[in-house]
């Protein structure tokens, strides 16, 4: 039996057991470093030694490129300033065993950046994880729950957030804002509705193309600034809610764009008016039983009629007899939805004017107020009917974004949430590591 020449370095215990493989002849011996080179298959990286520690395996590695590259600008720099102490990068586990790469990076005197630490081919400058590890975390975070990601990769969820930010930074297409013509702008609340993120969705692809913390006009102005005047001029339609901040930011920057008010937000105005009427009615009822019955009609009143359960349907059938005021409010809400379902803009305009007159004279103050707001935004509401565009059209994306918000508990800050949104909703295609082309072929 041929004895393999395991090339452990000076720190390691010497392997003495005889190992043969069917592909190796009696005379061929494989060094551990060669074997590990093939196993790891990291581009421009060679393994120079290996050592078992209490935690697993540590591989000593070095870049194969002769001239080191600056960690700041990526240029080759010949002037070496000094060498740092060895540091480790976490790599993918090897057969369930933790695996780290160890290297002493050089510090370089870059003519452009000053003294910087060299760039290594297996990781980003500020990361303690290899690219392969980070991409695997990204792939899993796209596919599965946070518990699975943390457990499988043995990293804290907060660390996953930082890793995802780097993956997104590397993978998000630089031209993601090119060629936008129809966009939807929406706010997303997180941290129990105390904080907001503004999200821009491309209606054509259904992808999130931009996201930033905040929900005021300046937040949105930052998007248009990033877009630049040429790309702003290409935008033909923007769906937004009726907030003054968004309206002013869109009308000053995207001058060619038609503003379309998002149907969901327009209808919510009327839903809120209905709920206000219901609460006022509840307060006027003295009999506790009747009051309780009315209190529990909230969801029945807000739902679309075809989604009602038999119990809710029964409650609403009683409504004209039990509370005529609330029934009037309910009819106003239902007829408003029916108007927006129509497809002829001129008919919708006429019907909306009729509706506003009815609401104003209904004796229901919340509806009179809603009618005034709708009157001020009539063009954008009718534009919805003409174009059929609404943020709900990207409902798949919206639903996904809301799920992501729930997953983001435990991540640090808005930047991690935004990275997670981009990771899952911007069309990034991450592949598991075994599908990658390898530098060393065995
Ligand atoms: Zn540099």
């Amino acid at each position: 039996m041929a004895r393999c020449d395991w090339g452990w370095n000076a720190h390691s215990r010497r392997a003495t057991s005889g190992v043969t493989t069917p592909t190796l002849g009696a005379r061929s011996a494989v060094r551990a470093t060669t074997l590990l080179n093939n196993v790891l298959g990291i581009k421009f990286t060679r393994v120079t030694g290996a050592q078992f520690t209490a935690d697993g395996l540590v591989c000593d590695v070095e870049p194969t490129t002769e001239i080191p590259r600056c960690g700041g600008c990526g240029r080759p720099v010949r002037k070496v300033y000094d060498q740092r102490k060895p540091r480790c990068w976490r790599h993918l586990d090897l057969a369930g065993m933790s695996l780290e790469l160890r290297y002493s990076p050089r510090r370089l005197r870059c003519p452009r950046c000053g003294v910087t630490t060299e760039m290594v081919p297996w990781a980003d400058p500020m990361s303690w994880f290899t690219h392969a590890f980070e991409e695997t975390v990204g792939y899993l975070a796209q596919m599965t729950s946070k518990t699975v990601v943390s457990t499988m990769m043995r990293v804290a969820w907060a660390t996953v957030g930082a890793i995802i930010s780097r993956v997104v930074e590397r993978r998000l297409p630089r031209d993601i804002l090119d060629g936008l013509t129809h966009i939807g702008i929406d706010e997303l609340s997180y941290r129990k509705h105390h904080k907001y993120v503004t999200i821009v969705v491309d209606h054509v692809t259904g992808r999130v193309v931009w996201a930033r913390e905040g929900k005021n006009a300046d937040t949105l102005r930052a998007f248009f600034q990033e877009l630049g005047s040429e790309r702003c001029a290409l935008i033909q339609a923007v769906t937004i809610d009726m907030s003054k901040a968004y309206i002013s930011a869109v009308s000053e920057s995207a001058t060619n764009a038609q503003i379309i008010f998002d149907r969901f937000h327009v209808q919510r105005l009327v839903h809120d008016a209905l709920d206000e009427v219901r609460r006022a009615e509840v307060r006027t009822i003295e009999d506790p039983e009747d009051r309780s019955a009315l209190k529990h009609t909230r969801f029945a009143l807000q739902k679309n009629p075809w989604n009602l359960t038999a119990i809710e349907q029964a409650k609403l059938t009683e409504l004209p007899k039990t509370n005529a005021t609330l029934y009037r409010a309910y009819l106003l809400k239902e007829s408003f939805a029916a108007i927006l379902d129509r497809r002829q803009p001129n008919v919708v305009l006429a019907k909306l004017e009729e509706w506003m007159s009815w609401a104003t004279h209904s004796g229901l103050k919340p509806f009179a107020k809603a009618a005034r707001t709708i009157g001020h935004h009539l063009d954008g509401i009718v534009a919805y009917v003409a174009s059929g565009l609404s943020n709900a059209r990207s409902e798949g994306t919206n639903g996904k974004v809301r799920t992501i918000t729930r997953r983001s508990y435990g991540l640090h800050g808005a930047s991690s949430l935004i990275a997670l949104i981009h990771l899952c909703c911007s069309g990034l295609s991450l592949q598991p590591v075994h599908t990658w082309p390898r530098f060393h072929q065995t």
Side-chain angles (χ1 to χ4, degrees):
M1 187 180 280
R3 172 166 290 182
C4 288
D5 176 15
W6 292 91
W8 300 122
N9 67 10
H11 309 289
S12 67
R13 58 187 168 149
R14 192 146 187 100
T16 52
S17 60
V19 178
T20 55
T21 68
T23 53
L24 294 171
R27 289 175 135 200
S28 6
V30 60
R31 290 175 63 85
T33 48
T34 313
L35 178 72
L36 286 169
N37 260 326
N38 283 296
V39 170
L40 300 187
I42 304 173
K43 280 185 176 177
F44 308 116
T45 304
R46 96 168 52 92
V47 179
T48 58
Q51 182 187 11
F52 283 106
T53 65
D55 298 326
L57 182 62
V58 177
C59 287
D60 290 296
V61 293
E62 62 183 23
T64 54
T65 42
E66 275 183 24
I67 305 168
R69 286 177 176 273
C70 166
C73 63
R75 291 177 169 200
V77 177
R78 285 182 185 275
K79 283 187 181 170
V80 175
Y81 178 74
D82 64 0
Q83 190 145 26
R84 303 195 110 174
K85 286 182 187 163
R87 51 167 290 194
C88 288
W89 288 261
R90 175 97 187 271
H91 191 49
L92 294 168
D93 286 359
L94 187 64
M97 181 189 287
S98 158
L99 172 60
E100 289 190 314
L101 306 185
R102 183 168 55 195
Y103 176 61
S104 304
R106 290 162 285 185
R107 284 206 293 174
L108 312 172
R109 200 184 285 280
C110 173
R112 185 187 263 201
C113 317
V115 175
T116 56
T117 304
E118 75 172 299
M119 180 187 274
V120 291
W122 53 85
D124 270 6
M126 299 306 289
S127 174
W128 297 88
F129 300 94
T130 64
H131 288 141
F133 188 93
E134 294 195 337
E135 298 276 319
T136 305
V137 168
Y139 175 77
L140 288 174
Q142 274 185 335
M143 298 291 167
T144 181
S145 72
K146 69 183 201 184
T147 314
V148 173
V149 183
S150 284
T151 312
M152 277 207 63
M153 302 307 290
R154 291 192 277 162
V155 279
W157 183 240
T159 312
V160 170
I163 290 174
I164 290 170
S165 298
R166 283 191 293 271
V167 172
V168 168
E169 176 68 28
R170 276 199 300 275
R171 293 304 205 100
L172 200 65
R174 298 287 172 248
D175 60 355
I176 195 163
L177 297 180
D178 284 359
L180 295 175
T181 54
H182 295 73
I183 56 172
I185 299 164
D186 211 349
E187 69 194 35
L188 172 77
S189 65
Y190 68 106
R191 294 263 162 93
K192 296 183 180 165
H193 305 279
H194 292 311
K195 296 208 167 193
Y196 290 88
V197 171
T198 294
I199 290 175
V200 181
V201 178
D202 179 359
H203 278 310
V204 178
T205 60
R207 288 174 181 168
V208 172
V209 292
W210 191 89
R212 183 70 59 91
E213 190 178 7
K215 61 163 184 171
N216 57 26
D218 285 339
T219 318
L220 200 49
R221 280 191 193 111
F223 165 71
F224 289 115
Q225 263 164 22
E226 220 172 291
L227 208 58
S229 55
E230 260 179 50
R231 291 188 292 192
C232 276
L234 296 176
I235 295 182
Q236 296 167 22
V238 184
T239 53
I240 49 173
D241 62 23
M242 286 175 285
S243 79
K244 276 186 188 158
Y246 283 175
I247 296 171
S248 68
V250 172
S251 41
E252 52 189 60
S253 304
T255 42
N256 295 339
Q258 163 84 62
I259 291 180
I260 300 166
F261 293 119
D262 183 47
R263 176 174 179 161
F264 170 79
H265 290 96
V266 176
Q267 268 189 271
R268 199 167 63 185
L269 261 185
V270 177
H271 283 220
D272 289 348
L274 171 61
D275 203 44
E276 219 175 298
V277 173
R278 184 191 60 85
R279 279 185 275 126
E281 286 302 303
V282 168
R283 281 195 295 272
T284 59
I285 297 172
E286 282 176 5
D287 182 48
E289 217 169 278
D290 288 352
R291 193 188 305 147
S292 168
L294 204 59
K295 255 187 182 176
H296 293 103
T297 54
R298 184 182 170 194
F299 294 111
L301 288 166
Q302 301 283 358
K303 272 185 177 180
N304 284 323
W306 55 90
N307 287 334
L308 291 169
T309 64
I311 298 171
E312 288 167 340
Q313 196 120 43
K315 273 183 192 170
L316 290 188
T317 314
E318 289 297 306
L319 197 60
K321 285 177 247 161
T322 53
N323 195 314
T325 310
L326 190 55
Y327 183 60
R328 197 159 66 250
Y330 177 73
L331 290 180
L332 274 163
K333 170 233 156 192
E334 275 305 306
S335 53
F336 187 76
I339 294 170
L340 293 187
D341 281 339
R342 305 191 70 140
R343 283 286 151 257
Q344 308 89 335
N346 53 342
V347 175
V348 169
L349 184 61
K351 293 273 174 200
L352 278 178
E353 274 163 0
E354 275 172 31
W355 185 92
M356 285 188 292
S357 163
W358 177 21
T360 312
H361 299 105
S362 63
L364 305 168
K365 274 189 183 166
F367 276 90
K369 194 177 156 207
R372 274 199 301 280
T373 313
I374 288 164
H376 290 144
H377 298 88
L378 217 46
D379 285 352
I381 297 172
V382 177
Y384 155 72
V385 178
S387 68
L389 276 182
S390 81
N391 289 352
R393 203 178 137 182
S394 321
E395 196 49 63
T397 312
N398 286 352
K400 222 169 162 185
V401 169
R402 276 194 293 274
T403 316
I404 288 164
T405 322
R406 287 197 286 277
R407 280 172 77 198
S408 74
Y409 286 115
L411 292 180
H412 291 308
S415 60
S416 295
L417 168 64
I418 289 169
L420 196 57
I421 291 170
H422 276 308
L423 183 80
C424 301
C425 306
S426 296
L428 300 193
S429 163
L430 299 180
Q431 301 300 328
V433 174
H434 65 263
T435 63
W436 293 13
R438 294 170 73 79
F439 179 56
H440 296 285
Q441 296 296 330
T442 49

